[in-house]
Amino acid sequence: MTEPPPDVRDALARTGAALLRAGTAGRGLSLAEWHNRDNRARYDRPDHHTLSLYLEGGERVVREDGALSGGGPDKLCLLPAGHESRWLIGGRLRLFHLYVAPETLASQAVSALDVDPSGIHLRELTFADDPATAMLVRGGVLPLDWAAGADRMALNAACHLLLHALLRRHIGPPGARAVRGGLSPTVRRRVAELIEARLGEALTLEALADEAGLSTFHFAKMFKASLGVAPHRYVTERRIARAKDLLAEGRTSLAEIALACGFASQSHFTRRFKQAAGLTPAAWRGAS
């Protein structure tokens, strides 16, 4: 299991918190899900930003350095790099964390919003209401298998949306610049060829953006403008299409097809295939 950044990991481990799962979502982005109860935590100037969303519990949590209370499910805390805080944890809780390297936030500010990174000051928030962010975490991040290569691009895209939401709502007004147009025919062809050549691998949004010579944010926008779907959805569709070709040939086992099409396991392949085709792979093969 991928570990969260040492500052947070060590601080929470000292309290007896349990790391439920962790993963990475691209350069300078990692995430974790924690369980904790009835103790204290202290953060001493971590070198990364932390978005923290309460998933369960939190009503009895107090931020002692500010005498702040009011936690609970879907409450958001935003803790910039270099901050200091002390927490009294009452009762049982479950937390989602997104960790963001400052250079990653700065890069996204330039590429996504045309903002001078030297002017970025991420607001510190405690027990804030941000329904859109909570919905994105619960609907777009938590249901994914963080360790599955087939879900890597969807996880990457969801976490970049979270990062973009932070920039839009929790720094000063950025005067964002709209993204227009799409990928050129040459770039579109190169990206499509890369996807076809690596369907059996754990593709990332960064790999496709690098092929296009664009930031991840601009690439995702221009890809959708060009092809009508998000990159992770397009990759999933191509994986399902290849799986159908292999199923129709009738010579390859379901486990081998799952591996060849970039799915983490046969069960993961079966679940995704049924979502897309309405039948399990075995049933689809029998009907074709």
Side-chain angles (χ1 to χ4, degrees), residues 133-212:
T133 294
M135 185 179 301
L136 181 54
V137 170
R138 289 189 182 274
V141 178
L142 295 181
L144 297 172
D145 184 340
W146 298 355
D151 280 354
R152 186 72 54 80
M153 188 172 294
L155 181 64
N156 186 263
C159 287
H160 274 86
L161 285 175
L162 281 175
L163 184 57
H164 190 232
L166 292 185
L167 288 167
R168 285 287 190 185
R169 294 199 286 275
H170 301 306
I171 63 171
R177 181 176 57 189
V179 179
R180 298 182 175 86
L183 301 173
S184 70
T186 300
V187 170
R188 199 161 59 236
R189 183 179 65 255
R190 275 207 325 266
V191 170
E193 289 172 351
L194 176 64
I195 291 170
E196 294 299 320
R198 296 177 57 183
L199 283 179
E201 303 175 26
L203 275 167
T204 65
L205 196 61
E206 277 96 348
L208 300 184
D210 286 347
E211 182 67 22

Side-chain angles (χ1 to χ4, degrees), residues 38-211:
D38 295 327
N39 48 49
R40 280 184 160 86
R42 180 187 184 101
Y43 301 101
D44 294 312
R45 305 181 65 81
D47 62 2
H48 54 270
H49 309 302
T50 302
L51 180 157
S52 178
L53 184 75
Y54 288 85
L55 302 175
E56 297 174 6
E59 294 89 349
R60 293 166 54 197
V61 174
V62 177
R63 180 166 176 177
E64 294 183 299
D65 56 300
L68 297 171
S69 60
D74 291 343
K75 292 292 185 178
L76 176 75
C77 295
L78 189 55
L79 306 172
H83 88 285
E84 298 180 357
S85 59
R86 301 189 311 277
W87 304 81
L88 174 63
I89 300 163
R92 186 190 304 269
L93 60 83
R94 187 164 61 94
L95 284 171
F96 167 80
H97 278 177
L98 176 70
Y99 309 111
V100 184
E103 58 270 21
T104 298
L105 188 74
S107 174
Q108 285 295 302
V110 173
S111 63
L113 302 182
D114 197 25
V115 178
D116 181 356
S118 65
I120 289 178
H121 299 287
L122 200 60
R123 297 190 183 106
E124 188 169 321
L125 301 174
T126 304
F127 306 137
D129 290 308
D130 189 341
T133 294
M135 185 179 301
L136 181 54
V137 170
R138 289 189 182 274
V141 178
L142 295 181
L144 297 172
D145 184 340
W146 298 355
D151 280 354
R152 186 72 54 80
M153 188 172 294
L155 181 64
N156 186 263
C159 287
H160 274 86
L161 285 175
L162 281 175
L163 184 57
H164 190 232
L166 292 185
L167 288 167
R168 285 287 190 185
R169 294 199 286 275
H170 301 306
I171 63 171
R177 181 176 57 189
V179 179
R180 298 182 175 86
L183 301 173
S184 70
T186 300
V187 170
R188 199 161 59 236
R189 183 179 65 255
R190 275 207 325 266
V191 170
E193 289 172 351
L194 176 64
I195 291 170
E196 294 299 320
R198 296 177 57 183
L199 283 179
E201 303 175 26
L203 275 167
T204 65
L205 196 61
E206 277 96 348
L208 300 184
D210 286 347
E211 182 67 22

Side-chain angles (χ1 to χ4, degrees), residues 140 144 150-158 161 195 205 208 219-220 223 229-239:
L144 297 172
D151 280 354
R152 186 72 54 80
M153 188 172 294
L155 181 64
N156 186 263
L161 285 175
I195 291 170
L205 196 61
L208 300 184
F219 172 75
F223 187 99
V229 294
H232 69 271
R233 187 175 296 278
Y234 177 85
V235 170
T236 298
E237 290 174 353
R238 295 307 307 148
R239 284 178 167 143

